[in-house]
Amino acid sequence: MDSISIALIYAINKGYQVHPDAFAFLKSLDCDVEKIIKTIVDAKNKFKKKSPILIDDIKNVISSDVNGQIDEPVITNSITDSNDENYKIIFDPTYKINSENDKDFFKLFDSRYRKTLKILSIRSESRQIRKIKHIKDLRNKSRFSSLDNENERGKFIDSAFVAGLIMSKRNRKNDVELVIDDTTGSIPVVCKTRDLINEASSLVLDQMLMLEISLSKRNSNDFVIKDIIFPDIPEHVAAKSGTESYVALISDLHVGSKYFMENEFNDFISWLSSDDEIVSKIKFVCIAGDIVDGIGIYPNQDKELIDININKQMSYAAALLQKIPKRMHVFLIPGNHDPGRRALPQTALTDLRDFQPLENFSIIGNPSIVELNKVKLLMFHGQSLDDVIATVPGLSYSKPVEAMKILLKSRHLSPIYGNRTPIAPESEDMLVMDDVPDIFHAGHVHTTEVGRYKGTLIVNSGAWQKQTKFQQTMGINPTPGICILVDLGRLQSFKKDFNY
Ligand code: D5M
Ligand code: FE
Ligand code: ZN
């Protein structure tokens, strides 16, 4: 029996149908189809879903296989006859999420350290990184002048490199003290100059950094920081698709809330079906989470809900979304108001996946990376922006782009652990930004803003919910009812406002 037949029988025995398109797709693949089907069936079992196996399920498994056990075929989707509009799902955490019974964060932070070290390894200084234990040993030897020769002692005292996670930051009268931790130990290090103190103000706890340090000449116990090296994204020329085509970026619908702007949202959907010249060029729509308002998310929310049944909220949202023209491909990720676990990374909204009229949708996890006509787009709801805005001086909810830059600089979507954003103890840190995105799309703060950082277009796509009472008391002034359009050909953006 061939492996496709074995895979099919396996699925059927477990009670799963394979959609005919998915079957045809499987046949076209040159990789371990048994393993793919087994992964999907196991995941569906875990989420207690009896829905048929679809093409998107297969693509998700292929694109999330990091161990390379499945030979990665090229998975592109043509959505027009001319074959020039296509997309790939580069990363979706849904089938990699595995931490349900795990409470151990050691592996997560170890993975963060290792993955970010790999990112730092393109910098020439990284070759000089020494383990913290080694640095401490050298300091002790140096204190007793027992280093082999004066030269070695001088060099060590003058400059050494370490890399690790920032465990604490203390602003003192004349300086800032950081504690940095790698797999061998931790040491306090001090920023003394104005420039370094300034730079240190924008770093956040638990992010990975590389530091150049020297041993203080005055007190041979203290390490002084000479340079802070962020993992950062490199200055780059973003990929452009070559031809003019648009992606529409939106987020934070909050269907079910009294404040959901249904009229404006319906106008947006109708506009997508109009014969506007721009609309004819919109090929993709990205929705960055908070599809519904959920229940029990913030104090006294029930008084602000039209519908206190989450399933009703979801099917109402699906009924609106299915009116998006089928010629557009839609990518949809969950946010902190949507059903499912709150901790990052979040799995795809499986309830929506089973909604048949959404056949032009890729319903994927948070965060996800998609490639649209060669342009790499990172989608993230943006929960961690709360923590970044709360801890970095000078940031505010009205300017989310600055906070999104901090995430790019730290090459992590949610560096701060233990504040408002829950993070799950996965054995791999899927929030490290391995790839440099051409477009970084988030929502959550309900304020639209566009910016650019080192070649990456940064978009916060606002909301479709008017200011809630809660936001009013928090002093948050949203700018809802706006869609951000990005021309994938030139990576230029503009706003389309549906307020009247
Ligand atoms: O978040 C909508 C906006 O409200 C966003 O700017 C964050 C802010 N927000 C949400 N919860 C809180 C709390 N607890 N304190 C301060 N600010 C908050 P959304 O996810 O849509 O509710
Ligand atoms: Fe929201
Ligand atoms: Zn949110």
Side-chain angles (χ1 to χ4, degrees), residues 292-295 307-315 337-339:
V292 293
D293 208 48
I295 44 169
D307 220 322
I308 53 161
N309 178 321
I310 187 95
N311 294 325
K312 279 198 191 146
Q313 290 182 9
M314 222 13 129
S315 52
H337 282 254
D338 295 311

Side-chain angles (χ1 to χ4, degrees), residues 13-28:
N13 282 342
K14 295 266 177 180
Y16 292 94
Q17 305 276 344
V18 179
H19 190 280
D21 292 348
F23 182 67
F25 182 62
L26 270 182
K27 281 208 288 198
S28 73

Side-chain angles (χ1 to χ4, degrees), residues 254 290 336-337 386 397 420 444-446 470-471 474 476:
H254 292 266
D290 282 359
N336 53 310
H337 282 254
D386 288 336
Y397 277 111
R420 294 241 298 274
H444 184 61
V445 298
H446 294 206
F470 179 70
Q471 287 162 1
M474 303 295 304
I476 293 168

Side-chain angles (χ1 to χ4, degrees), residues 14 36-37 60 91 107 194 207 365 371 406 452 495:
K14 295 266 177 180
I36 293 174
I37 290 296
N60 280 321
F91 173 76
K107 282 189 193 148
R194 252 311 105 213
Q207 82 164 108
E371 198 179 283
I406 296 222
R452 226 175 262 274
K495 291 182 181 179

Side-chain angles (χ1 to χ4, degrees), residues 44 96 103-104 121 137 163 182 187 189 193 211 229 242-243 245 250 259 271 278 303 315 317 382 402 444:
K44 280 185 187 276
K96 292 174 81 179
K103 292 195 172 48
D104 179 9
S121 72
D137 290 347
D182 71 7
I187 42 166
V189 287
T193 66
L211 299 174
I229 300 144
T243 51
S245 61
I250 59 166
Y259 303 97
W271 178 69
I278 290 288
K303 299 190 184 73
S315 52
E402 282 307 310
H444 184 61

Side-chain angles (χ1 to χ4, degrees), residues 154-184:
K155 214 166 95 192
F156 163 67
I157 287 175
D158 207 43
S159 166
F161 286 84
V162 290
L165 306 184
I166 300 302
M167 307 312 287
S168 78
K169 179 168 116 180
R170 215 150 49 99
N171 294 309
R172 303 190 296 199
K173 195 157 166 248
N174 296 315
D175 57 22
V176 176
E177 185 203 66
L178 307 175
V179 174
I180 184 164
D181 180 293
D182 71 7
T183 51
T184 66

Side-chain angles (χ1 to χ4, degrees), residues 367-435:
S368 279
I369 305 172
V370 297
E371 198 179 283
L372 313 176
N373 293 349
K374 300 198 178 69
V375 176
K376 208 178 268 181
L377 190 151
L378 168 60
M379 293 175 81
F380 174 51
H381 176 60
Q383 290 95 320
S384 62
L385 297 173
D386 288 336
D387 294 322
V388 174
I389 291 169
T391 56
V392 177
L395 297 190
S396 81
Y397 277 111
S398 59
K399 295 210 173 301
V401 163
E402 282 307 310
M404 290 170 74
K405 281 183 195 169
I406 296 222
L407 299 182
L408 289 171
K409 260 180 100 165
S410 71
R411 288 295 284 266
H412 199 282
L413 287 168
S414 191
I416 304 168
Y417 176 75
N419 284 14
R420 294 241 298 274
T421 314
I423 300 174
E426 298 293 332
S427 52
E428 183 196 338
D429 190 341
M430 291 173 249
L431 302 168
V432 173
M433 283 186 223
D434 295 320
D435 292 301

